[in-house]
Amino acid sequence: GMLFGTYFWGAIADRYGRLKSLFYALILVFICAILSAASIDYHMLLFCRLMVGFGLGGFGMAWLYFLEFIPTKLRGRWACIMSVWWSLGTILEA
């Protein structure tokens, strides 16, 4: 889902702005995560988790917003720190 979501949310961000794109991606993730917790069969769970991944493809805008406030000299360091914590969070979640 994230593979296609990244391209989709990037196009939406280019057309309508990053804030709207991030907002709708967050709403999609929230709704589909709740629905996946309440799924009644395997197919509903699979579809909801796919849509959560699709929505997570739009979370790249959150990184951009954060990095805009970091001084240019330190952006590379903070981007690496965020990448490491994202990877560790994914491992711990699994």
Side-chain angles (χ1 to χ4, degrees), residues 6-91:
T6 302
Y7 290 110
F8 175 79
W9 294 113
I12 295 297
D14 287 343
R15 184 158 174 91
Y16 300 107
R18 285 187 291 183
L19 186 61
K20 283 186 180 182
S21 177
L22 180 61
F23 176 75
Y24 289 121
L26 288 171
I27 294 295
L28 179 68
V29 169
F30 176 75
I31 290 171
C32 290
I34 296 295
L35 288 175
S36 71
S39 61
I40 57 175
D41 62 357
Y42 179 71
H43 297 291
M44 182 178 173
L45 175 66
L46 190 64
F47 176 74
C48 289
R49 295 308 294 173
L50 177 75
M51 293 308 293
V52 166
F54 186 80
L56 285 175
F59 278 26
M61 270 84 63
W63 290 39
L64 295 174
Y65 276 126
F66 174 74
L67 291 174
E68 283 180 355
F69 292 103
I70 302 296
T72 307
K73 184 176 164 182
L74 300 174
R75 278 190 193 154
R77 180 179 301 159
W78 277 100
C80 289
I81 289 170
M82 288 174 55
S83 296
V84 167
W85 284 111
W86 181 275
S87 301
L88 288 175
T90 303
I91 291 169

